[in-house]
């Protein structure tokens, strides 16, 4: 009986040790892709985008794409690639689930960064490119707002660089210019989670507010010249 009891205690101790150290072991295997920190407080974009919308959009939706992507790429060659390359290769390879989550992770990285520093107007060579491509800054905003409304269902409206010209492109679901070999300068999310709490079904109002009150166009101009 004495030996049996010791045996039971030893087994119990081993089980406890396994339970104690298992989380640390799992945590040490770092996920290949990490969601960047939000570059400002959740309330910084209000009233154009409320703190509640930012909290859900960044904390649930954007975080969810990274979590799902890390699960999908585990033990695959994708796990060792930069996020941008995963987007391109998954699109070309027809790996739809990986593309959707990688593209949405990348799309949102740019989305949050383009508001950092607060609203500024375009200037310099970038402003000249806007005038050459669309007629003027107000025309650009009107065309992007209209294109955002034309995207059926969920998706994005993008400002892209095509040579020295600018183009506006609407894409459904996780679509992005990166996967098409084009340079994305600005992306407006027109999935409902990006605006519905604040604007309900008034998508054009949301897009117009983002373009006219939140976008740091100086940042966008830097992407144009990079």
């Amino acid at each position: 009986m004495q030996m049996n009891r010791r045996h039971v205690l030893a087994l119990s101790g081993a089980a406890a040790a396994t339970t104690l150290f298992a989380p640390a072991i799992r945590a040490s295997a770092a996920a290949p892709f990490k969601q960047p920190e939000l570059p400002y407080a959740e309330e910084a974009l209000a009233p154009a985008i409320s703190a509640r919308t930012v909290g859900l959009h960044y904390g649930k939706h954007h975080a969810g794409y990274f979590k799902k992507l890390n699960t999908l790429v585990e033990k695959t060659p994708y796990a060792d690639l930069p996020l941008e390359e995963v987007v391109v290769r998954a699109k070309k390879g027809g790996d739809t689930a990986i593309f959707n989550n990688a593209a949405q992770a990348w799309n949102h990285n740019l989305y949050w960064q383009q508001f950092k520093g607060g609203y500024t107007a375009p200037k310099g060579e970038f402003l000249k490119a806007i005038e050459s491509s669309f007629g003027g800054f107000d025309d650009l905003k009107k065309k992007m707002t209209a294109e955002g409304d034309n995207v059926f269902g969920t998706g994005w409206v993008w400002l892209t660089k095509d040579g020295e010209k600018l183009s506006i492109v609407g894409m459904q679901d996780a679509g992005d210019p990166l996967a098409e070999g084009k340079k994305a300068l600005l992306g407006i999310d027109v999935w409902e989670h990006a605006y519905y709490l604040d604007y309900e079904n008034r998508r054009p109002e949301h897009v117009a507010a983002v373009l006219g009150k939140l976008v740091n166009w100086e940042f966008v101009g830097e992407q144009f010249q990079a």
Side-chain angles (χ1 to χ4, degrees):
M1 291 294 293
Q2 186 73 12
M3 292 297 295
N4 287 342
R5 184 175 301 158
R6 287 178 181 174
H7 185 63
V8 169
L9 289 173
L11 289 174
S12 299
T18 300
T19 302
L20 179 63
F21 290 107
I25 292 170
R26 287 197 296 270
S28 67
F33 302 108
K34 184 178 180 181
Q35 181 187 24
E37 294 291 330
L38 189 68
Y40 33 73
E42 290 184 358
E43 63 269 20
L45 305 183
I49 302 178
S50 69
R52 186 183 178 202
T53 291
V54 173
L56 290 170
H57 194 172
Y58 173 82
K60 299 296 183 181
H61 292 277
H62 192 194
Y65 297 127
F66 273 94
K67 183 177 180 180
K68 184 67 178 291
L69 175 63
N70 284 325
T71 299
L72 291 169
V73 303
E74 188 176 2
K75 297 180 181 179
T76 75
Y78 287 113
D80 299 318
L81 298 175
L83 181 59
E84 293 84 352
E85 199 166 337
V86 174
V87 173
V88 174
R89 290 197 183 190
K91 178 70 172 181
K92 290 182 178 178
D95 296 317
T96 304
I98 291 176
F99 167 75
N100 284 339
N101 286 277
Q104 283 291 76
W106 186 88
N107 293 353
H108 285 84
N109 287 353
L110 176 63
Y111 179 79
W112 300 118
Q113 282 294 324
Q114 68 199 7
F115 306 138
K116 184 179 178 181
Y119 180 84
T120 58
K123 60 184 181 180
E125 293 301 314
F126 179 49
L127 178 58
K128 290 179 183 178
I130 290 174
E131 292 169 345
S132 173
S133 301
F134 306 110
F137 183 43
D138 287 339
D139 296 297
L140 163 62
K141 291 185 288 184
K142 288 176 183 177
K143 289 176 182 177
M144 280 201 79
T145 300
E147 185 61 33
D149 195 35
N150 287 337
V151 174
F152 184 77
T154 57
W156 293 76
V157 57
W158 297 96
L159 178 65
T160 69
K161 183 178 181 181
D162 187 6
E164 292 306 310
K165 299 284 286 184
L166 300 172
S167 299
I168 295 170
V169 184
M171 295 183 172
Q172 288 185 301
D173 301 329
D176 65 20
L178 184 65
E180 308 294 333
K182 298 178 181 178
K183 185 170 185 178
L185 304 180
L186 167 72
I188 306 299
D189 191 342
V190 293
W191 287 59
E192 286 189 345
H193 61 242
Y195 65 88
Y196 205 85
L197 288 177
D198 302 325
Y199 297 89
E200 297 179 338
N201 65 329
R202 303 186 306 277
R203 183 194 285 181
E205 188 177 328
H206 161 72
V207 176
V210 171
L211 293 173
K213 297 178 180 178
L214 295 183
V215 171
N216 184 332
W217 290 95
E218 206 169 306
F219 169 83
V220 181
E222 289 170 359
Q223 310 314 303
F224 173 76
Q225 295 183 333

